[in-house]
Amino acid sequence: MRLHTINIEEKTALEDACAVLTHGGLVVLPTETVYGLAADATNGEAVAKIFEAKGRPSFNPLICHVSSLEMARQYVVFDDTALSLANAFWPGPLTLVLPIKPDSKIHSLTRAGLDTLAVRMPGGFARDLIEHFGRPVAAPSANRSGGISATRANHVQSDLGDRVDLVLDGGPASIGLESTIVKTRNGDIELLRPGGLSVDDIERATGMTVRRQQNASAAIEAPGMMTSHYAPRTPLVINATTATPDDCVITFAGKRITGSDESLLILDLSERGDLGEAAANLFDHMKTADASGAERICVVPIPIKGLGEAINDRLTRAAAPKTEIGDADRHD
Ligand code: TXA
Ligand code: MG
């Protein structure tokens, strides 16, 4: 698709952006916090393009943007505290991490295989677009991995260039700081990331104390990559060259390894050898493999190029003891 930038005041902006999202493309979307790099949150291959465009070497769970509380409730479960926070601060710079509903249509890559989902209702044009589109959009900040979050359309233009289908220019972001992320659990509010909404405002509105993590960086790392992250219980072997009849083999591009034809189950991440499709299938295949009753999950070597880097990163984490690997790159 042709790269272009249009002002959100343009009559066709809403329709153009919806068309790109419907076709699995990427739209740079102004929000009150920072610009977001948006894709259909239910479409795994579209979400894979977000990671590819950002050049991020690992998969972090993304924030799902909704246009209403009703839309959010189709996908996640609100407790009373979460409900009062949403009522007080949505639309606005607050993201809630909530348990996912079992039948949720949000793609597993959007939530990096977690059983929780980060949801936020932005205001203004972003909200209108999501309402018009009719389902949530996944959107991290619109910057290359390791870069600074973009608060103006021309920042995005120079940073992401032709990696996106459409840039919507809504002028400078009014808040200019990412949303505050909290997790509610058993009537408790835990701060995962400080942001555009102050803790004081949250405490004043709820009459509750917000619990801060002892170690601020752990608060950001932990959600995506550490203990709470989905990891198979079945031992996982990466770069496998042989398999036994008790193993489940996860392959790529139809590749066979010694013994794989006799293995319990063989799952292909992408028969056509497409790394975007492989990324979209990764978490679901790991879950299926884990539930298969296999003794081990043997994963064939996956090319380390483009999205292959993030796929290999995730597989390495799944293969290693859970506490050994942290997430050094906290610029999402
Ligand atoms: O203001 C914002 O929040 C912007 C705009 C575009 O909405 N978005 C943004 O997204 O900053 P991103 O992807 O750059 O940051 C999302 C953060 C990450 O640190 C990620 O680990 C965390 O949210 N996150 C996402 N899902 C989570 C989950 N299920 N549990 C815990 N943390 C989660
Ligand atoms: Mg970010």
Side-chain angles (χ1 to χ4, degrees), residues 185-198:
R185 204 170 17 197
N186 308 326
D188 200 39
I189 306 175
E190 186 185 346
L191 182 68
L192 298 185
R193 178 179 76 182
L197 178 68
S198 76

Side-chain angles (χ1 to χ4, degrees), residues 82 163 175 193 196:
R163 293 167 172 239
I175 295 175
R193 178 179 76 182

Side-chain angles (χ1 to χ4, degrees), residues 34 54 140-143 147-149 178 193 330-332:
V34 294
K54 283 180 73 85
S141 47
N143 53 276
I148 310 274
S149 298
E178 293 95 335
R193 178 179 76 182
R330 286 187 280 108
H331 297 281
D332 305 316

Side-chain angles (χ1 to χ4, degrees), residues 31 33-36 60-63 65 97 114 116-118 120 139-141 178-179 181 192-193 220 223 332:
T31 86
T33 57
V34 294
Y35 276 71
N60 232 17
L62 304 176
I63 296 175
H65 298 70
V97 172
L114 292 172
T116 55
L117 183 71
R120 173 165 106 80
S141 47
E178 293 95 335
S179 62
I181 306 180
L192 298 185
R193 178 179 76 182
I220 303 167
D332 305 316

Side-chain angles (χ1 to χ4, degrees), residues 240-245 247 249 255-263 266 296 298 300:
T241 50
T242 58
T244 75
D247 293 336
V249 174
K255 189 175 164 58
R256 292 291 179 269
I257 55 175
T258 309
S260 60
D261 286 338
E262 286 77 46
S263 63
I266 182 156
R296 301 182 307 166
C298 298
V300 308

